[in-house]
Amino acid sequence: MLRFNNKVPFVEDTSLNDIIKVCQTPFYVYSQKIITQKVERVKKALGNNIFFSVKSNSNQAILKLMQSFDIGADVVSLGELKRSLSAGFHPSKIIFEGVGKSKDDIIYAIQKNIRLINTESFEEIKLIQKLALEKNKNVNIGIRLNPDINGGTISKISTGKKTDKFGIEIDDIENIINIIKNCKNLNLIGISCHIGSQISDMDAYKNTFSEMKKAADKFVASGINIKHVDLGGGFYVKYNNKDPEFKIENLRKELDDCFGNSSYELSFEPGRYLVAEAGIIVISIINIKKNGGINY
């Protein structure tokens, strides 16, 4: 991201020395050019149905930039939902995820008529049905499934194995179907998954796509018209020159092989992949002298 001209650091065509004159350190600087290139690359590889994972960067300027690309927002808290609405995201382009939704969070999402609320447990499904009934509203929901797939990443950022706390086990589809058929105010229109972060193993993506395709087909065969299949994010980000580059374009073939003959609307939730390489933090270095004085 940084380039140097006569030892002076620049971000795009702007000197950091000029920015420091008007901005007090510490502060972050982001390259709009790099973010734009990243979004365009993902769209070209995976299609336009992209939802920016707001938890990766909820800076309001970044959110407004993402909204200008005509992509959606993937939020995991009431705060992120409100920030996304404030940034201009249309409610129909916002997905509410996460295991920590409160009753008030869900009510707010229902009132705002967002695209859908992704549920993570049987209890949450029943709670949303109760609230939808009380509000006399029909609510679109999705189901986050746990496909029990190892993303090949470190355990602390793995979210797709049975031992992880996220989602309903994919083996429980029959139970999900039975519950949904008794929830008259809920429209189950999608399923989703997210198996972790910093994933580069193409077999992990391939296996995930396969499991999600089979799951969607099971719902459809039962009479539940699944339209959307959200395949998560977690794309590998290169943090130094020694790391191999993750070629997101390679996912296209796996998608076509798995979903080529289906009519499901496929979507993804990239986060840090779109912003991590675009920003730096600028700080002042404090030199503490041996005699106790401080130089800036």
Side-chain angles (χ1 to χ4, degrees):
M1 174 185 167
L2 275 179
R3 67 177 181 84
F4 289 84
N5 185 359
N6 293 325
K7 297 184 179 182
V8 176
F10 281 77
V11 174
E12 296 186 9
D13 295 324
T14 303
S15 164
L16 282 188
N17 290 346
D18 291 337
I19 300 176
I20 291 171
K21 293 176 183 177
V22 295
C23 293
Q24 182 177 347
T25 59
F27 59 84
Y28 285 96
V29 179
Y30 293 92
S31 168
Q32 179 172 326
K33 180 178 180 181
I34 291 177
I35 293 175
T36 301
Q37 290 172 343
K38 282 282 192 175
V39 172
E40 290 176 348
R41 184 176 182 182
V42 173
K43 279 188 171 185
K44 184 176 181 180
L46 305 178
N48 294 325
N49 207 22
I50 303 300
F51 295 81
F52 174 61
S53 180
V54 175
K55 65 178 176 285
S56 68
N57 193 317
S58 59
N59 180 288
Q60 204 68 14
I62 298 294
L63 294 183
K64 288 181 179 179
L65 176 61
M66 291 298 179
Q67 189 276 331
S68 74
F69 298 133
D70 195 31
I71 63 177
D74 170 76
V75 305
V76 295
S77 71
L78 179 61
E80 289 183 8
L81 173 54
K82 289 181 176 180
R83 290 181 72 83
S84 297
L85 290 169
S86 178
F89 284 96
H90 193 275
S92 65
K93 284 185 171 289
I94 298 177
I95 298 172
F96 197 172
E97 309 261 11
V99 297
K101 307 182 202 75
S102 71
K103 177 181 176 181
D104 289 341
D105 294 348
I106 294 170
I107 290 173
Y108 186 87
I110 291 173
Q111 291 171 336
K112 291 299 180 180
N113 295 310
I114 66 171
R115 177 185 176 93
L116 60 82
I117 303 172
N118 264 339
T119 57
E120 302 246 4
S121 67
F122 294 116
E123 292 76 15
E124 187 178 8
I125 295 171
K126 294 174 183 177
L127 174 59
I128 296 176
Q129 164 60 18
K130 177 178 179 292
L131 297 175
L133 188 61
E134 290 176 358
K135 301 296 180 182
N136 193 28
K137 299 266 288 187
N138 289 322
V139 179
N140 291 335
I141 68 166
I143 302 288
R144 178 171 176 173
L145 297 173
N146 186 318
D148 192 25
I149 291 174
N150 187 341
T153 187
I154 63 175
S155 61
K156 293 186 183 297
I157 53 174
S158 172
T159 59
K161 297 182 293 185
K162 278 187 178 182
T163 53
D164 298 324
K165 63 183 178 181
F166 300 95
I168 301 174
E169 289 186 16
I170 208 161
D171 294 337
D172 280 331
I173 287 178
E174 292 300 327
N175 292 332
I176 298 171
I177 291 169
N178 291 334
I179 290 175
I180 290 297
K181 287 186 174 180
N182 290 311
C183 293
K184 303 303 181 183
N185 288 69
L186 301 186
N187 304 316
L188 176 56
I189 62 172
I191 58 174
S192 72
C193 71
H194 183 72
I195 64 171
S197 300
Q198 287 296 84
I199 300 170
S200 60
D201 183 357
M202 202 55 60
D203 284 340
Y205 289 108
K206 180 179 180 179
N207 294 336
T208 300
F209 297 166
S210 177
E211 289 298 315
M212 292 297 286
K213 171 64 162 54
K214 288 187 285 188
D217 290 345
K218 285 183 182 179
F219 280 107
V220 171
S222 75
I224 296 177
N225 187 22
I226 294 294
K227 299 177 181 178
H228 311 289
V229 178
D230 188 326
L231 297 167
F235 309 136
Y236 184 83
V237 175
K238 181 178 179 179
Y239 282 107
N240 60 64
N241 292 331
K242 295 180 180 179
D243 292 339
E245 181 181 1
F246 175 68
K247 295 183 178 180
I248 198 168
E249 292 79 9
N250 291 342
L251 290 180
R252 183 74 258 170
K253 179 181 183 302
E254 303 298 343
L255 276 179
D256 292 341
D257 287 348
C258 186
F259 289 96
N261 296 322
S262 70
S263 59
Y264 300 118
E265 183 182 82
L266 306 179
S267 59
F268 291 87
E269 306 164 4
R272 76 167 84 181
Y273 183 81
L274 300 180
V275 294
E277 297 175 65
I280 59 170
I281 184 171
V282 180
I283 63 174
S284 297
I285 298 176
I286 298 175
N287 177 25
I288 302 178
K289 296 181 177 181
K290 290 183 179 180
N291 62 8
I294 296 177
N295 282 343
Y296 289 88

